[in-house]
Amino acid sequence: MLEFRYTDLTGDVLLSSGTVAYLGAFTVDYRLECQKQWQVLCKQKNIPCSNDFSLSSTLGEPVKIRAWQIAGLPIDSFSVDNGIIVSNSRRWALMIDPQRQANKWIKNMEKANKLSVIKLSDTNYVRTLENAIQLGTPVLLENIGEELDAFIEPILLKLTFKQQGVEYMRLGENIIEYSRDFRFYITTRLRNPHYLPEVAVKVCLLNFMITPLGLQDQLLGIVAAKEKPELEEKKNKLIIESAANKKQLKEIEDKILEVLSKSEGNILEDETAINILSSSKELSEEISEKQEIASVTEMEIDATRMGYKPVAVHSTIIFFCISDLANIEPMYQYSLIWFINLYVHSIANSKKSDDLPARIENIIEYFTVSIYNNVCRSLFEKDKLLFSLLLTIGIMKGKNQIDDEVWRFLLTGGVALDNPYANPAPEWLTDKSWAEIVRASSLKNLQGLMDHVKDNLSKWKMIYDSAKPQEEAFPDVWKTLIGLERLVVLRCLRPDKIVPAVQEFITENMGRTFIEPPTFDLVGSYNDSNCCAPLIFVLSPGADPMAGLLKFADDAGMGDTSIQTISLGQGQGPIAAKMIYQAIIDGTWVVLQNCHLATSWMPALEKICEEVIVPESTHDKFRLWLTSYPSEKFPVSILQNGIKMTNEPPKGVRANLLRSYLNDPVSDPAFFSSCQKQEMWQKLLFGLCFFHALVQERRNFGPLGWNIPYEFNESDLRISMRQIQMFLNEYEEIPFEALTYLTGECNYGGRVTDDKDRRLLLSLLSIVYTKDIEQDKYQLSPGEEYYIPIHGPYQSYIEYIRTLPITTHPEVFGLHENADITKDNQETNQLFSGVLLTLPREAGGGGKSPQETVEDLARDILSKLPNDFNLEEVMKKYPVLYKESMNTVLRQELIRFNR
């Protein structure tokens, strides 16, 4: 065995060096792929190497690895390899560490060696570095961006020189002594940073993204520790004991080797040597016995822990669904610490049970809903269904209920190569749909679909023409289709109805909770926050959370002087910082508006959040509120630790009316009943809110709704309400003309620039601002559903709004019912392209790699292109002449055409 290891050492060390030098920045799969290819190369070149090469078996020392794991290095092999690369690389490691795993590990591992932690934003980081280099203590530089300070270049390149046998380094202006014990670690929080070659060649880039296996182990440890604390404690004791035992054994082996190498002559005559050998033997036997007992106990403990494995597996899947959201919007960032806090909270608050499977079911159910509600409040309306779908598919994939090929096809419709089959019904079936049906027929459960469509056109046309195709049964053998396969067929025929079908799919597999996102709830978000976690409003066009926030501050007893707001912009940073410093002591609230406009000040804000707003020195009542549009430059650490909320106009007329009535000022009883002409006031108020919902919702229909999409918002509604109230109180007769002018030309009309849009706005307003509104149950749209309810208390209006349909028929907006098709198709495309952003790029459909698919497509396109025009022939026939200007044009056009 040893003989083989000795022979294979050459190749193994070669592969290890390659891994340390080149593969640090890559993912698990890519590293393994490279190592495999390198092994093949070694075999071809007759370099001996092991068949089961692994970095940890070649360069790893079990004792050291165990110590790293106790210090917090995840236990999966990928993380262990990362640890080995850090300790063996000649260049200092720069770790890409969005979940702060490496950060935690280094802080624990180097704690005993007086580790200094610095950031490039610190004022005295240069001093710290100089001291550490002279004393030989480790330094961790954290939270760097995509560029490094030129000052640390000599450290990265290890530019030292010797004078009289002492090693020195020049740092900036100073020359300092360089200690060989100095160690330097760099970490960044960015998920996917792009380091330019000049940075990448000076450091050893390392990918420390958490792996599913590493996270599973952590989550399993947490759930076991909470459910069976005595077992987990025992296990941790055993780990530390066995690490100490192994260390002792290693020391004994080293001692024996030392004695053997130093003894001269016959070893049996050397008394000290014999004494050392015999005492070592006793000690090692004793340790071996201890280890045997320990490993039996450990196996028993592991068996109990493994009972909770389903919880850890399920929660890991959810974490990776969430971490993929950052590819859709830069603001969707969630930290591992936040996730684990929610996880612990769910274990504590879910229903207890002595029956293990039931208990596991309770934890999983509680945790999934809790994650859904917490993540949903920070997503835009357009991404809420997308998140539910990702969650559903992720969880079903974990149970092996999803065929990857069908899932990919549903999102992309397959790769479009030439379609050799003629469209059997071009009068109603589009070529795109037919091509998709042909490609879908190659999927496992859909073979024979295209022949069936061809032979039963009339049956399929009924589905195509149906108003609700997602609810119809498919013809003949296809009526038993369920799940994704059914969605695929629907995608081919009626892509506009995918959204309701996806909602149905989620309801069937996960429950109705996951398609009804929680409404905007400022009180709930506030209750979940603490003095050190900022609350962030992610803005969208037409949303202004300020009025709601100020009202909430009043209700919470933090109004007037207890809340300060400042809109960020040039020169406002220092003023804002001063406000925060003061508020931390006084326990007041600070609101910083429009953070996206002050990107240069964001690093300073990040520093304040991390170093100034700490539990020890912050008043319990203090809160920092931020508002910002989505921005790449917004600090990741604030996003990960803060509570994010979106506050958009909701979808549909019902949701829009409900929101107007449940929010300030309508929800305020004093305002609601503050008018002398009560009945007329209530009617006009309801009419105005309906008009507000109409103008907001018409935006979704693109150019059919408005020529230019305007950002009508809450403040337009609020000022118009106050004007109705004022005019009703001051005039005997209701001045409809004045109201129409103020609302239609000033408040709402002020932002309308297109004359046709202005005409439309006034026409929509004339439905509401009219003498006829005095009748009972005045109809607001064709049909019986939308009318102004009979005068009654506040609650009766809320109850009426709740009876309205969730999805609004286009006729309500005065549009043809087909107007929905374009809008729905857009929604389907938006949903699928969003999901595609979160998927890994490597998996190809049908066993082909993306490379092969692209090559096939390229060949297909090339074969269809006509030949180039022969320019020389053309020049002979039509030379460029002064009198023939068209010849010049012809020549230029042909050059372009060829290109």
Side-chain angles (χ1 to χ4, degrees), residues 32 54 93 131 179 194 222 402 416 564 733 754 772 858:
L32 293 173
S54 80
N131 292 341
S179 162
H194 174 64
I222 292 168
I402 295 286
Q564 292 175 290
E733 280 291 300
D754 184 275
D772 301 342

mmCIF file with all atom_site columns, all heavy atoms in Angstrom, residues 32 54 93 131 179 194 222 402 416 564 733 754 772 858:
data_model
loop_
_atom_site.group_PDB
_atom_site.id
_atom_site.type_symbol
_atom_site.label_atom_id
_atom_site.label_alt_id
_atom_site.label_comp_id
_atom_site.label_asym_id
_atom_site.label_entity_id
_atom_site.label_seq_id
_atom_site.pdbx_PDB_ins_code
_atom_site.Cartn_x
_atom_site.Cartn_y
_atom_site.Cartn_z
_atom_site.occupancy
_atom_site.B_iso_or_equiv
_atom_site.pdbx_formal_charge
_atom_site.auth_seq_id
_atom_site.auth_comp_id
_atom_site.auth_asym_id
_atom_site.auth_atom_id
_atom_site.pdbx_PDB_model_num
ATOM 1   N N   . LEU A 1 32  ? -13.971 19.180 -9.708  1.00 0.00 ? 32  LEU A N   1
ATOM 2   C CA  . LEU A 1 32  ? -13.883 17.724 -9.893  1.00 0.00 ? 32  LEU A CA  1
ATOM 3   C C   . LEU A 1 32  ? -13.672 17.380 -11.364 1.00 0.00 ? 32  LEU A C   1
ATOM 4   O O   . LEU A 1 32  ? -12.880 16.515 -11.712 1.00 0.00 ? 32  LEU A O   1
ATOM 5   C CB  . LEU A 1 32  ? -15.154 17.042 -9.376  1.00 0.00 ? 32  LEU A CB  1
ATOM 6   C CG  . LEU A 1 32  ? -15.348 17.131 -7.853  1.00 0.00 ? 32  LEU A CG  1
ATOM 7   C CD1 . LEU A 1 32  ? -16.711 16.589 -7.452  1.00 0.00 ? 32  LEU A CD1 1
ATOM 8   C CD2 . LEU A 1 32  ? -14.247 16.359 -7.123  1.00 0.00 ? 32  LEU A CD2 1
ATOM 9   N N   . SER A 1 54  ? -7.612  12.699 -4.158  1.00 0.00 ? 54  SER A N   1
ATOM 10  C CA  . SER A 1 54  ? -8.329  13.806 -3.509  1.00 0.00 ? 54  SER A CA  1
ATOM 11  C C   . SER A 1 54  ? -7.297  14.677 -2.812  1.00 0.00 ? 54  SER A C   1
ATOM 12  O O   . SER A 1 54  ? -6.274  14.182 -2.342  1.00 0.00 ? 54  SER A O   1
ATOM 13  C CB  . SER A 1 54  ? -9.357  13.287 -2.507  1.00 0.00 ? 54  SER A CB  1
ATOM 14  O OG  . SER A 1 54  ? -8.712  12.952 -1.302  1.00 0.00 ? 54  SER A OG  1
ATOM 15  N N   . ALA A 1 93  ? -4.756  34.360 0.473   1.00 0.00 ? 93  ALA A N   1
ATOM 16  C CA  . ALA A 1 93  ? -6.072  33.977 -0.043  1.00 0.00 ? 93  ALA A CA  1
ATOM 17  C C   . ALA A 1 93  ? -7.065  35.139 -0.019  1.00 0.00 ? 93  ALA A C   1
ATOM 18  O O   . ALA A 1 93  ? -7.149  35.868 0.959   1.00 0.00 ? 93  ALA A O   1
ATOM 19  C CB  . ALA A 1 93  ? -6.619  32.822 0.788   1.00 0.00 ? 93  ALA A CB  1
ATOM 20  N N   . ASN A 1 131 ? 2.021   46.987 12.392  1.00 0.00 ? 131 ASN A N   1
ATOM 21  C CA  . ASN A 1 131 ? 2.309   46.293 13.653  1.00 0.00 ? 131 ASN A CA  1
ATOM 22  C C   . ASN A 1 131 ? 2.280   44.775 13.474  1.00 0.00 ? 131 ASN A C   1
ATOM 23  O O   . ASN A 1 131 ? 3.148   44.062 13.974  1.00 0.00 ? 131 ASN A O   1
ATOM 24  C CB  . ASN A 1 131 ? 1.298   46.692 14.736  1.00 0.00 ? 131 ASN A CB  1
ATOM 25  C CG  . ASN A 1 131 ? 1.478   48.149 15.146  1.00 0.00 ? 131 ASN A CG  1
ATOM 26  O OD1 . ASN A 1 131 ? 2.526   48.737 14.896  1.00 0.00 ? 131 ASN A OD1 1
ATOM 27  N ND2 . ASN A 1 131 ? 0.449   48.736 15.744  1.00 0.00 ? 131 ASN A ND2 1
ATOM 28  N N   . SER A 1 179 ? 8.167   39.844 9.599   1.00 0.00 ? 179 SER A N   1
ATOM 29  C CA  . SER A 1 179 ? 8.234   38.578 10.331  1.00 0.00 ? 179 SER A CA  1
ATOM 30  C C   . SER A 1 179 ? 7.654   37.467 9.470   1.00 0.00 ? 179 SER A C   1
ATOM 31  O O   . SER A 1 179 ? 6.597   37.633 8.853   1.00 0.00 ? 179 SER A O   1
ATOM 32  C CB  . SER A 1 179 ? 7.433   38.690 11.627  1.00 0.00 ? 179 SER A CB  1
ATOM 33  O OG  . SER A 1 179 ? 7.156   37.399 12.107  1.00 0.00 ? 179 SER A OG  1
ATOM 34  N N   . HIS A 1 194 ? -16.237 40.503 -9.906  1.00 0.00 ? 194 HIS A N   1
ATOM 35  C CA  . HIS A 1 194 ? -15.396 40.348 -11.102 1.00 0.00 ? 194 HIS A CA  1
ATOM 36  C C   . HIS A 1 194 ? -14.063 41.014 -10.815 1.00 0.00 ? 194 HIS A C   1
ATOM 37  O O   . HIS A 1 194 ? -13.956 42.236 -10.843 1.00 0.00 ? 194 HIS A O   1
ATOM 38  C CB  . HIS A 1 194 ? -16.080 41.007 -12.297 1.00 0.00 ? 194 HIS A CB  1
ATOM 39  C CG  . HIS A 1 194 ? -15.224 41.010 -13.532 1.00 0.00 ? 194 HIS A CG  1
ATOM 40  N ND1 . HIS A 1 194 ? -14.840 39.848 -14.153 1.00 0.00 ? 194 HIS A ND1 1
ATOM 41  C CD2 . HIS A 1 194 ? -14.639 42.017 -14.214 1.00 0.00 ? 194 HIS A CD2 1
ATOM 42  C CE1 . HIS A 1 194 ? -14.054 40.155 -15.184 1.00 0.00 ? 194 HIS A CE1 1
ATOM 43  N NE2 . HIS A 1 194 ? -13.923 41.457 -15.238 1.00 0.00 ? 194 HIS A NE2 1
ATOM 44  N N   . ILE A 1 222 ? -28.160 22.237 14.406  1.00 0.00 ? 222 ILE A N   1
ATOM 45  C CA  . ILE A 1 222 ? -29.025 23.186 15.140  1.00 0.00 ? 222 ILE A CA  1
ATOM 46  C C   . ILE A 1 222 ? -30.301 22.496 15.600  1.00 0.00 ? 222 ILE A C   1
ATOM 47  O O   . ILE A 1 222 ? -30.704 22.607 16.759  1.00 0.00 ? 222 ILE A O   1
ATOM 48  C CB  . ILE A 1 222 ? -29.361 24.404 14.241  1.00 0.00 ? 222 ILE A CB  1
ATOM 49  C CG1 . ILE A 1 222 ? -28.091 25.230 13.995  1.00 0.00 ? 222 ILE A CG1 1
ATOM 50  C CG2 . ILE A 1 222 ? -30.436 25.270 14.882  1.00 0.00 ? 222 ILE A CG2 1
ATOM 51  C CD1 . ILE A 1 222 ? -28.230 26.270 12.911  1.00 0.00 ? 222 ILE A CD1 1
ATOM 52  N N   . ILE A 1 402 ? -39.681 15.895 -10.006 1.00 0.00 ? 402 ILE A N   1
ATOM 53  C CA  . ILE A 1 402 ? -39.605 16.788 -11.169 1.00 0.00 ? 402 ILE A CA  1
ATOM 54  C C   . ILE A 1 402 ? -38.652 16.193 -12.203 1.00 0.00 ? 402 ILE A C   1
ATOM 55  O O   . ILE A 1 402 ? -37.528 15.815 -11.878 1.00 0.00 ? 402 ILE A O   1
ATOM 56  C CB  . ILE A 1 402 ? -39.085 18.189 -10.751 1.00 0.00 ? 402 ILE A CB  1
ATOM 57  C CG1 . ILE A 1 402 ? -40.067 18.881 -9.808  1.00 0.00 ? 402 ILE A CG1 1
ATOM 58  C CG2 . ILE A 1 402 ? -38.821 19.073 -11.974 1.00 0.00 ? 402 ILE A CG2 1
ATOM 59  C CD1 . ILE A 1 402 ? -41.319 19.411 -10.439 1.00 0.00 ? 402 ILE A CD1 1
ATOM 60  N N   . ALA A 1 416 ? -35.188 26.048 -30.889 1.00 0.00 ? 416 ALA A N   1
ATOM 61  C CA  . ALA A 1 416 ? -35.878 26.089 -32.183 1.00 0.00 ? 416 ALA A CA  1
ATOM 62  C C   . ALA A 1 416 ? -34.948 25.755 -33.351 1.00 0.00 ? 416 ALA A C   1
ATOM 63  O O   . ALA A 1 416 ? -34.198 26.597 -33.807 1.00 0.00 ? 416 ALA A O   1
ATOM 64  C CB  . ALA A 1 416 ? -36.467 27.469 -32.374 1.00 0.00 ? 416 ALA A CB  1
ATOM 65  N N   . GLN A 1 564 ? -36.886 62.042 12.396  1.00 0.00 ? 564 GLN A N   1
ATOM 66  C CA  . GLN A 1 564 ? -36.238 63.037 11.526  1.00 0.00 ? 564 GLN A CA  1
ATOM 67  C C   . GLN A 1 564 ? -36.068 62.428 10.140  1.00 0.00 ? 564 GLN A C   1
ATOM 68  O O   . GLN A 1 564 ? -35.647 61.274 10.022  1.00 0.00 ? 564 GLN A O   1
ATOM 69  C CB  . GLN A 1 564 ? -34.839 63.362 12.068  1.00 0.00 ? 564 GLN A CB  1
ATOM 70  C CG  . GLN A 1 564 ? -34.857 64.102 13.383  1.00 0.00 ? 564 GLN A CG  1
ATOM 71  C CD  . GLN A 1 564 ? -33.440 64.254 13.895  1.00 0.00 ? 564 GLN A CD  1
ATOM 72  O OE1 . GLN A 1 564 ? -32.817 63.278 14.295  1.00 0.00 ? 564 GLN A OE1 1
ATOM 73  N NE2 . GLN A 1 564 ? -32.912 65.476 13.866  1.00 0.00 ? 564 GLN A NE2 1
ATOM 74  N N   . GLU A 1 733 ? -74.336 73.718 -3.918  1.00 0.00 ? 733 GLU A N   1
ATOM 75  C CA  . GLU A 1 733 ? -74.351 72.801 -5.068  1.00 0.00 ? 733 GLU A CA  1
ATOM 76  C C   . GLU A 1 733 ? -72.948 72.201 -5.240  1.00 0.00 ? 733 GLU A C   1
ATOM 77  O O   . GLU A 1 733 ? -71.958 72.870 -4.968  1.00 0.00 ? 733 GLU A O   1
ATOM 78  C CB  . GLU A 1 733 ? -74.705 73.590 -6.343  1.00 0.00 ? 733 GLU A CB  1
ATOM 79  C CG  . GLU A 1 733 ? -76.178 73.861 -6.519  1.00 0.00 ? 733 GLU A CG  1
ATOM 80  C CD  . GLU A 1 733 ? -76.959 72.585 -6.829  1.00 0.00 ? 733 GLU A CD  1
ATOM 81  O OE1 . GLU A 1 733 ? -76.649 71.943 -7.850  1.00 0.00 ? 733 GLU A OE1 1
ATOM 82  O OE2 . GLU A 1 733 ? -77.867 72.213 -6.045  1.00 0.00 ? 733 GLU A OE2 1
ATOM 83  N N   . ASP A 1 754 ? -49.418 63.387 -23.139 1.00 0.00 ? 754 ASP A N   1
ATOM 84  C CA  . ASP A 1 754 ? -49.958 63.052 -24.458 1.00 0.00 ? 754 ASP A CA  1
ATOM 85  C C   . ASP A 1 754 ? -51.423 63.514 -24.520 1.00 0.00 ? 754 ASP A C   1
ATOM 86  O O   . ASP A 1 754 ? -52.205 63.245 -23.601 1.00 0.00 ? 754 ASP A O   1
ATOM 87  C CB  . ASP A 1 754 ? -49.872 61.528 -24.630 1.00 0.00 ? 754 ASP A CB  1
ATOM 88  C CG  . ASP A 1 754 ? -50.327 61.083 -26.004 1.00 0.00 ? 754 ASP A CG  1
ATOM 89  O OD1 . ASP A 1 754 ? -51.541 60.892 -26.194 1.00 0.00 ? 754 ASP A OD1 1
ATOM 90  O OD2 . ASP A 1 754 ? -49.456 60.932 -26.877 1.00 0.00 ? 754 ASP A OD2 1
ATOM 91  N N   . ASP A 1 772 ? -75.281 62.063 -12.036 1.00 0.00 ? 772 ASP A N   1
ATOM 92  C CA  . ASP A 1 772 ? -75.974 60.764 -11.883 1.00 0.00 ? 772 ASP A CA  1
ATOM 93  C C   . ASP A 1 772 ? -75.499 59.976 -10.667 1.00 0.00 ? 772 ASP A C   1
ATOM 94  O O   . ASP A 1 772 ? -76.137 59.002 -10.272 1.00 0.00 ? 772 ASP A O   1
ATOM 95  C CB  . ASP A 1 772 ? -75.752 59.886 -13.127 1.00 0.00 ? 772 ASP A CB  1
ATOM 96  C CG  . ASP A 1 772 ? -76.263 60.578 -14.378 1.00 0.00 ? 772 ASP A CG  1
ATOM 97  O OD1 . ASP A 1 772 ? -77.057 61.520 -14.220 1.00 0.00 ? 772 ASP A OD1 1
ATOM 98  O OD2 . ASP A 1 772 ? -75.858 60.178 -15.493 1.00 0.00 ? 772 ASP A OD2 1
ATOM 99  N N   . ALA A 1 858 ? -26.208 27.115 -34.641 1.00 0.00 ? 858 ALA A N   1
ATOM 100 C CA  . ALA A 1 858 ? -25.375 27.921 -35.549 1.00 0.00 ? 858 ALA A CA  1
ATOM 101 C C   . ALA A 1 858 ? -25.342 27.278 -36.946 1.00 0.00 ? 858 ALA A C   1
ATOM 102 O O   . ALA A 1 858 ? -25.496 27.953 -37.960 1.00 0.00 ? 858 ALA A O   1
ATOM 103 C CB  . ALA A 1 858 ? -23.969 28.047 -34.990 1.00 0.00 ? 858 ALA A CB  1
#
